[in-house]
């Protein structure tokens, strides 16, 4: 590699700064080459510029150059100094004899090159001469060659000047653009910041406003006020005098000033500005101008007003909010504490107004024993641990009973906000809700859920540790009659009274519960035995037998109780309750108002009852029911005046069943209405085969009386049979009278006969007998049986006399002996029926007997005796 000039980087920078490389040919450079060729009588002349890696020919004469590597050129040696390089015979010079110019077609032998330098030591290129024969230059020729090189350098200096001029133009244009850009930015900045500048020439009074100041005053940009007076006239009348005085003082005292004031635009809009100014002075200290800025702070002023209002509102909110609030900063200092927090925590107001640390507040609380009702872990934390600043919520009770919910919310900058909410009422309400969820709302007793939970826990303990557990299931007798007759309000009063009596009868360790409706249960405490459970049941029966005053009206209900024990009768609650319920059903079926202990036979009876219930549901659709009829005799005339329809069930396995075997199930399974309608329609259909004037009596169950569609069903049955209403008599049992709810009046309005059935079987209501539209009284069979004994004759005569006094026909039921019949006739009974006189038979047999015993009236009396019928 050939040597390089010492200042190569600087040389290349100067060359590139000319921007001459790779430019098109130029005439003045070409002219120099032609002149050199002619002047020195050589075949070749050229001007070359030496770049970093190449030689570039700017102009030439007699020779053409393509791209030439710098190291292969004579010129690379020329630029190493400021002196010309003369080579008389290149073929003899070891530096160049291998050059392409020497060995090639150009055949160069002689070479002369003069460096072209704009500055000493910085040759940018060369002016070259060459010949094909060796030669020398005279002294004059060397001077001429130097002159030609000076001409080329002057041309390069033109390049240099042009580049400098262009650079200056670019610099000036950049400066102008930068100034314009700065002015635009200043204008935008003023516009965005609502800040403008102004100037007042004190000598002339001329006013200069920036565009933003113009906009502030509602004027177009570039349209400032023309005089100081015009500018001052914009200020609000209430502010103008103050501003004039400030400006005058600044002018006289030659000092700065600032003020905040309102200006009023031409359109009436009021803006608030802040203006600051200084007084410019000349070298003599004389004021020459006032210069300053103006900022539109209308929105800022409005925001500050809103902030003040918000702060006031926030302060009022903090002081009147229902929650206590403390704000603790990152250093643990209480910065905010509202009145509610002071009141809830009983904190000294002086302490909290002094900006205490939160630790100081806690120390005060500990000293006041404020955490005495808190858990030990919380007391330990309060006493020794730092305040917890992570989000958390807990509750604690203060010594005065107030329960506080304390919530901590960390702040992003450190510290936390802590709120204190009085949740005492909510805790009480929650406890009440929890109590209500597990207690009966009417009676206050535990409900089914709590009873089952308690029973499950007792049984779990029993399974682990042994022992006994007793359960009583209670069901009120005749409660539904009270509820339907006197209304739900009276029923609720009765249940409340019953619950109180149950509670008062039991021991402290016993758990009573209302399971729903009129069903109650008792979980016996301790280690009960069959004897102690029976004793408890007897006390309950006695307590609930007493009448209850329901607002001036007395009601009497009883209770049936079933008893079951664990482990004897089961070790899970479902089994135990089921078996107590089975025992309860046995108590009901055996007379009610009593108690029974579960026995294995009861399960079999319950299963039998379940099967019978399933058969009963299918019996009606299978046509298994039938009607039998028992004659009713007029004792005076000795003839049949009515027949009573009695239901029979042809059970496929058990044979013919009477009503006593299934009527209770009929009512419990909801079949009373459909089966009752079937009886009505069948009896009235058969009545068409009876002698004229003979009544047909049909029994009506309590469940039918409760049904709103009973009267409509009777009307439909009469219409279907084509019988007159007087043909039908409805027998209403004494036990069902309490549930009639106005149904008897509806039935009486149809024209059918009504009979008070089984009178004397219970606590007969004479008021009901007088009030309700009964045409007949049917004596209970027990009352009829008393007619055979002298000691019962008086009472029987009184009952019959009462019926006759009320205008009722008295009918004796269940007559089975001649002595009973004689006594009933003596007492004045009008009609009678019973096995002595005739057993119930199917309608075909009845019709045959009626035809064979005296024609249409059947069974005429002979010799003063009533005829006997035998089935």
């Amino acid at each position: 590699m050939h040597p390089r000039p010492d200042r190569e980087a600087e040389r290349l920078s100067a060359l590139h700064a000319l921007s001459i490389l790779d430019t098109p040919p130029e005439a003045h450079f070409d002219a120099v080459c032609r002149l050199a060729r002619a002047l020195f009588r050589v075949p070749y002349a050229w001007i070359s510029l030496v770049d970093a890696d190449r030689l570039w020919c700017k102009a030439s004469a007699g020779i053409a150059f393509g791209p030439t590597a710098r190291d292969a050129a004579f010129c690379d040696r020329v630029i190493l100094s400021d002196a010309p390089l003369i080579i008389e015979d290149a073929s003899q010079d070891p530096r160049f004899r291998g050059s392409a110019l020497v060995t090639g077609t150009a055949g160069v032998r002689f070479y002369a090159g003069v460096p072209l330098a704009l500055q000493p030591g910085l040759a940018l290129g060369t002016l070259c001469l060459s010949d094909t024969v060796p030669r020398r230059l005279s002294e004059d020729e060397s001077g001429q060659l130097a002159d030609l090189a000076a001409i080329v350098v002057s041309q390069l200096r033109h390049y240099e000047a042009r580049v400098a001029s262009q650079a200056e133009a670019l610099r000036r244009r950049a400066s102008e653009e930068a100034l314009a850009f700065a002015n635009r930015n200043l204008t935008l900045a003023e516009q965005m910041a609502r800040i403008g500048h102004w100037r007042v020439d004190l000598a002339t009074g001329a006013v200069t406003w920036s565009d933003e100041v113009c906009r502030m005053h509602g004027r177009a940009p570039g349209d400032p006020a023309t005089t100081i007076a015009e500018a001052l006239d914009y200020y609000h009348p209430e502010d103008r005098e103050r501003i004039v005085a400030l400006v005058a003082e600044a002018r006289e005292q030659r000092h700065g000033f600032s003020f905040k004031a309102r200006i009023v635009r031409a359109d009436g809009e009021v803006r608030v500005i802040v203006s600051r100014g200084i007084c410019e002075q000349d070298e003599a200290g004389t004021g020459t101008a006032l210069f300053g800025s103006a900022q539109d702070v209308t929105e800022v002023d409005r925001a500050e007003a809103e902030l003040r209002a918000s702060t006031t509102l926030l302060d009022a909110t903090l002081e009147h909010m229902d929650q206590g609030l403390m704000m603790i900063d990152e250093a643990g200092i209480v910065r905010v504490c509202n009145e509610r927090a002071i009141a809830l925590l009983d904190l000294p107001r002086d302490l909290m107004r002094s900006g205490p640390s939160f630790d100081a507040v806690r120390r005060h609380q500990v000293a006041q024993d404020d955490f005495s009702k808190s858990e030990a872990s919380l007391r330990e934390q309060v006493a020794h641990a730092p305040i917890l600043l992570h989000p958390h919520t807990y509750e604690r009770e203060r010594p005065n009973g107030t329960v506080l919910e304390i919530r901590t919310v960390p702040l992003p900058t450190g510290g936390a906000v802590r709120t204190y909410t009085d949740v005492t009422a909510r805790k009480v309400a929650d406890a009440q809700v929890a109590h209500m969820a597990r207690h009966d709302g009417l009676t206050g007793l535990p409900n089914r859920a709590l009873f089952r939970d308690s029973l499950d826990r007792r049984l779990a303990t029993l399974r682990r540790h042994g022992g006994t557990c007793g359960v009583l299931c209670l069901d009120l007798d005749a409660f539904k009659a009270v509820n339907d007759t006197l209304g739900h309000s009276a029923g609720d009063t009765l249940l409340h009274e019953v619950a109180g009596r149950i509670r008062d009868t039991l021991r402290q360790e016993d758990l009573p519960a209302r399971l729903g409706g009129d069903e109650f249960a008792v979980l016996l405490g301790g280690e009960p035995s069959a004897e102690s459970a029976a004793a408890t049941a007897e006390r309950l029966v006695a307590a609930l037998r007493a009448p209850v005053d329901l607002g001036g009206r007395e009601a009497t209900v009883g209770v049936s109780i079933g008893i079951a024990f664990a482990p004897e009768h089961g070790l899970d609650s479902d089994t135990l309750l089921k078996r107590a319920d089975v025992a309860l059903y046995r108590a009901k079926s055996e007379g009610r108002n009593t108690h029974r202990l579960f026995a294995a036979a009861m399960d079999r009876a319950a299963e039998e009852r379940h099967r019978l219930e399933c058969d009963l549901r299918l019996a009606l659709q299978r046509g298994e029911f039938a009607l039998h009829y028992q004659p009713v005799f007029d004792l005076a005339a000795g003839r049949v005046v009515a027949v009573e329809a009695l239901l029979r069930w042809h059970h496929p396995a058990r044979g013919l069943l009477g009503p006593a075997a299934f009527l209770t199930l009929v009512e419990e399974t909801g079949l009373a209405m459909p089966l009752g309608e079937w009886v009505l329609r069948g009896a009235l259909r058969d009545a068409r085969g009876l002698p004229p004037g003979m009544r047909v009596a049909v029994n009506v169950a309590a469940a039918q009386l409760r049904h709103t569609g009973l009267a409509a069903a009777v009307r439909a049955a009469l219409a279907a049979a084509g019988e007159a209403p007087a043909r039908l008599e409805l027998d209403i049992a004494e036990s069902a009278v309490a549930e009639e709810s106005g149904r008897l009046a509806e039935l009486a309005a149809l024209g059918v006969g009504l009979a008070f059935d089984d009178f004397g079987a219970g606590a007969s209501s004479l008021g009901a007998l007088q009030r309700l539209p009964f045409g007949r009284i049917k004596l209970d069979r027990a009352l009829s049986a008393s007619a055979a004994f002298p000691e019962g004759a008086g009472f029987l005569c009184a009952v019959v006399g009462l019926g006759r006094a009320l205008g009722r026909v008295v009918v004796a039921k269940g007559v089975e002996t001649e002595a009973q019949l004689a006594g009933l006739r003596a007492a004045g009974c009008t009609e009678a029926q019973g096995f002595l006189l005739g057993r119930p038979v199917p309608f075909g047999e009845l019709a045959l007997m009626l035809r064979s015993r005296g024609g249409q009236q059947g069974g005429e009396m002979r010799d003063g005796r009533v005829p006997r019928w035998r089935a």
Side-chain angles (χ1 to χ4, degrees):
M1 181 179 178
H2 292 186
R4 295 288 189 260
D6 294 336
R7 298 162 63 188
E8 174 68 359
E10 188 177 353
R11 185 191 71 80
L12 289 174
S13 176
L15 173 62
H16 293 160
L18 294 179
S19 298
I20 194 173
L21 294 173
D22 300 314
T23 57
E26 295 180 64
H28 45 275
F29 286 110
D30 291 341
V32 171
C33 291
R34 288 193 301 271
L35 179 60
R37 182 182 181 194
L39 182 62
F40 293 99
R41 297 182 302 278
V42 294
Y44 312 128
W46 67 90
I47 298 172
S48 64
L49 298 174
V50 182
D51 201 356
D53 297 311
R54 62 172 178 154
L55 179 73
W56 183 72
C57 183
K58 175 59 180 172
S60 64
I63 193 171
F65 286 99
T68 304
R70 175 176 171 175
D71 291 346
F74 292 92
C75 301
D76 187 43
R77 300 282 184 171
V78 177
I79 64 172
L80 294 177
S81 70
D82 292 334
L85 175 64
I86 307 297
I87 301 173
E88 294 180 358
D89 187 355
S91 64
Q92 301 302 314
D93 193 317
R95 294 173 299 173
F96 303 109
R97 60 190 177 194
S99 171
L101 286 176
V102 176
T103 61
T105 56
V108 172
R109 292 290 183 272
F110 168 76
Y111 172 83
V114 181
L116 303 175
L118 299 180
Q119 298 180 34
L122 292 178
L124 306 183
T126 59
L127 171 61
C128 306
L129 302 174
S130 68
D131 201 343
T132 58
V133 294
R135 59 178 292 179
R136 293 181 179 179
L137 288 180
S138 65
E139 186 175 342
D140 290 341
E141 287 177 329
S142 296
Q144 290 171 347
L145 182 57
D147 291 340
L148 286 176
I151 293 173
V152 175
V153 169
S154 67
Q155 294 297 327
L156 292 177
R157 290 195 183 282
H158 281 296
Y159 259 88
E160 184 181 42
R162 185 172 62 188
V163 169
S165 175
Q166 290 173 345
E168 176 61 22
L170 289 173
R171 186 194 63 76
R172 186 179 298 110
R173 186 160 57 251
S175 297
E176 291 172 352
E177 290 175 353
L179 180 60
F181 181 74
N183 286 334
R184 285 195 303 273
N185 285 347
L186 176 61
T187 301
L188 288 173
E190 287 189 354
Q191 186 175 350
M192 292 174 63
R194 298 289 182 90
I195 298 176
H197 61 274
W198 52 264
R199 188 175 187 279
V200 178
D201 190 309
L202 295 179
T204 64
V207 176
T208 302
W209 279 355
S210 70
D211 289 348
E212 185 57 28
V213 175
C214 293
R215 276 190 287 267
M216 286 182 201
H217 289 74
R219 302 177 76 127
D223 180 27
T226 56
T227 64
I228 296 178
E230 183 182 357
L232 292 174
D233 195 48
Y234 274 94
Y235 288 97
H236 194 284
E238 295 177 1
D239 297 340
R240 190 178 303 144
E241 185 176 345
R242 174 171 59 89
I243 304 307
V244 170
L246 280 173
V247 171
E249 181 183 356
R251 182 174 184 177
E252 293 173 5
Q253 300 297 327
R254 296 185 298 281
H255 59 59
F257 62 89
S258 66
F259 60 82
K260 182 179 182 180
R262 293 164 292 173
I263 60 174
V264 183
R265 294 178 174 180
D267 58 6
E269 182 180 359
V270 177
R271 307 294 294 178
V272 180
I273 65 168
V274 171
S275 186
R276 294 178 176 83
I278 59 173
C279 181
E280 295 180 353
Q281 303 176 48
D282 58 14
E283 295 178 356
T286 303
T288 58
L290 295 177
F291 178 82
S293 65
Q295 181 178 10
D296 187 339
V297 295
T298 306
E299 280 70 29
V300 174
D301 203 56
R302 185 179 297 120
E304 289 176 348
E306 292 174 355
L307 179 60
R308 286 192 298 273
S310 297
T311 302
T312 302
L313 179 60
L314 178 59
D315 290 342
T317 301
L318 286 174
E319 294 308 316
H320 294 89
M321 66 187 293
D322 189 51
Q323 287 181 313
L325 182 141
M326 279 191 200
M327 188 182 77
I328 303 104
D329 68 11
E330 63 276 11
I333 304 301
V334 178
R335 294 298 181 188
V336 176
C337 180
N338 67 357
E339 284 292 329
R340 183 62 173 161
I342 292 174
L344 285 175
L345 300 172
D346 288 334
L347 298 174
R349 189 166 279 97
D350 292 343
L351 171 66
M352 302 315 296
R353 296 301 183 230
S354 66
S357 67
F358 189 73
D359 283 337
V361 176
R362 291 199 297 180
R363 285 194 297 272
H364 171 81
Q365 291 178 296
V366 171
Q368 298 298 314
D369 206 16
D370 203 60
F371 297 88
S372 59
K373 291 190 175 183
S374 301
E375 295 180 356
S377 58
L378 178 59
R379 293 198 301 270
E380 180 68 18
Q381 178 185 324
V382 170
H384 304 292
I387 178 175
L388 297 177
L389 296 183
H390 62 79
H392 67 283
T393 302
Y394 69 95
E395 293 179 357
R396 74 175 178 89
E397 184 178 355
R398 295 196 62 245
N400 62 4
T402 300
V403 180
L404 297 178
E405 179 189 79
I406 302 171
R407 184 184 299 269
T408 301
V409 179
L411 294 173
T413 56
V417 172
R418 179 166 281 192
T419 58
Y420 302 85
T421 305
D422 185 348
V423 296
T424 309
R426 191 188 76 195
K427 300 296 285 187
V428 172
D430 289 347
Q432 290 175 341
V433 169
H435 178 85
M436 291 170 62
R438 297 172 66 82
H439 289 76
D440 177 50
L442 176 62
T443 64
L445 293 178
N447 61 13
R448 182 183 295 273
L450 179 52
F451 184 81
R452 288 294 294 264
D453 286 349
S454 301
L455 178 57
D456 287 340
R457 288 196 299 272
R458 179 77 68 83
L459 291 173
T461 301
L462 186 149
R463 288 190 293 269
R464 288 194 301 269
H465 305 295
T468 62
C469 172
V471 173
L472 277 61
C473 284
L474 293 71
D475 190 86
L476 300 184
D477 300 328
F479 169 74
K480 188 169 182 58
V482 175
N483 203 45
D484 291 346
T485 304
L486 303 181
H488 293 295
S489 178
D492 289 348
T493 302
L494 177 60
L495 289 173
H496 190 272
E497 174 64 21
V498 166
R501 293 184 185 184
I502 292 173
R503 191 185 292 109
D504 294 342
T505 302
L506 298 175
R507 302 167 300 172
Q508 185 70 30
E509 61 265 31
D510 298 331
L511 176 70
R514 182 187 177 204
L515 304 184
D518 61 345
E519 298 178 35
F520 295 83
V522 176
L523 176 59
L524 297 174
E527 294 290 331
S529 64
E531 292 75 15
S532 65
T536 301
E538 288 171 3
R539 290 197 304 273
L540 289 169
V541 169
L544 299 184
R545 185 185 293 121
V548 178
D549 182 4
L550 300 177
R553 300 183 66 176
E554 277 194 352
T556 301
V557 295
V559 63
S560 298
I561 303 176
I563 307 171
F565 277 92
E568 181 182 354
H569 301 143
L571 276 172
D572 63 274
S573 56
D574 286 337
T575 301
L576 205 60
L577 287 173
K578 177 184 176 183
R579 290 181 169 174
D581 199 53
V582 168
L584 167 65
Y585 180 76
R586 176 60 62 90
K588 278 189 171 294
S589 65
E590 294 184 359
R592 302 175 183 258
N593 219 24
T594 187
H595 61 85
R596 290 291 182 269
L597 176 66
F598 174 79
M602 293 181 184
D603 254 349
R604 293 191 293 273
E607 285 297 324
E608 181 63 26
R609 178 177 178 272
H610 177 68
R611 285 194 295 271
L612 187 63
E613 180 180 330
C614 294
D615 292 342
L616 183 63
R617 292 184 182 277
L618 297 172
L620 189 58
Q621 66 188 57
R622 290 174 176 173
E624 295 175 357
F625 289 108
L627 293 179
H628 286 199
Y629 295 89
Q630 185 175 41
V632 180
F633 284 86
D634 184 326
L635 294 181
R639 60 187 176 86
V640 178
V641 292
V643 294
E644 180 177 357
L646 299 171
L647 188 61
R648 297 291 186 266
W649 180 11
H650 290 285
H651 191 278
R654 300 173 62 181
L656 188 65
L657 300 179
F662 60 85
L663 279 186
T664 301
L665 272 179
V666 167
E667 294 210 20
E668 291 177 0
T669 54
L671 292 173
M673 273 305 290
L675 188 55
E677 289 187 32
W678 183 87
V679 172
L680 269 173
R681 290 179 178 272
L684 286 171
R685 183 177 59 251
D686 289 342
R688 290 182 296 191
L690 294 175
M694 187 176 291
R695 308 185 314 274
V696 61
V698 174
N699 290 284
V700 175
Q704 289 176 272
L705 271 184
R706 292 194 295 268
H707 201 284
T708 57
L710 177 60
V714 172
R715 185 185 301 110
L718 288 168
E723 292 290 340
R727 186 77 146 167
L728 177 63
E729 178 184 282
L730 300 178
D731 290 359
I732 314 297
E734 180 184 355
S735 59
V737 168
E739 306 190 34
E740 63 94 17
S741 303
R743 303 282 185 269
L744 295 182
E746 297 177 14
L747 295 171
L750 295 177
V752 301
L754 299 177
F756 196 153
D757 200 11
D758 293 330
F759 187 80
S764 302
S765 172
L766 298 181
L769 182 60
Q770 184 176 16
R771 172 174 51 85
L772 298 173
F774 289 113
R776 282 177 173 74
I777 300 174
K778 288 192 171 185
L779 302 181
D780 177 65
R781 65 176 55 250
L783 192 55
S784 296
S786 69
F789 305 100
E791 60 270 22
F795 180 72
L796 178 62
C797 288
V799 171
V800 174
L802 174 64
R804 294 173 63 181
L806 292 174
R808 310 291 196 262
V809 175
V810 180
V811 182
K813 294 180 62 175
V815 181
E816 297 182 357
T817 68
E818 293 287 354
Q820 291 175 3
L821 180 60
L824 291 167
R825 293 182 68 176
C829 284
T830 307
E831 298 176 356
Q833 65 184 96
F835 283 4
L836 176 67
L837 303 175
R839 290 177 177 274
V841 294
F843 185 76
E845 295 182 31
L846 173 72
L848 181 61
M849 291 178 183
L850 288 175
R851 286 195 297 272
S852 65
R853 309 273 181 153
Q856 291 297 316
Q857 293 301 316
E860 288 290 346
M861 181 190 298
R862 292 183 176 86
D863 302 324
R865 299 181 66 186
V866 175
R868 308 295 191 267
W869 288 22
R870 295 292 183 266

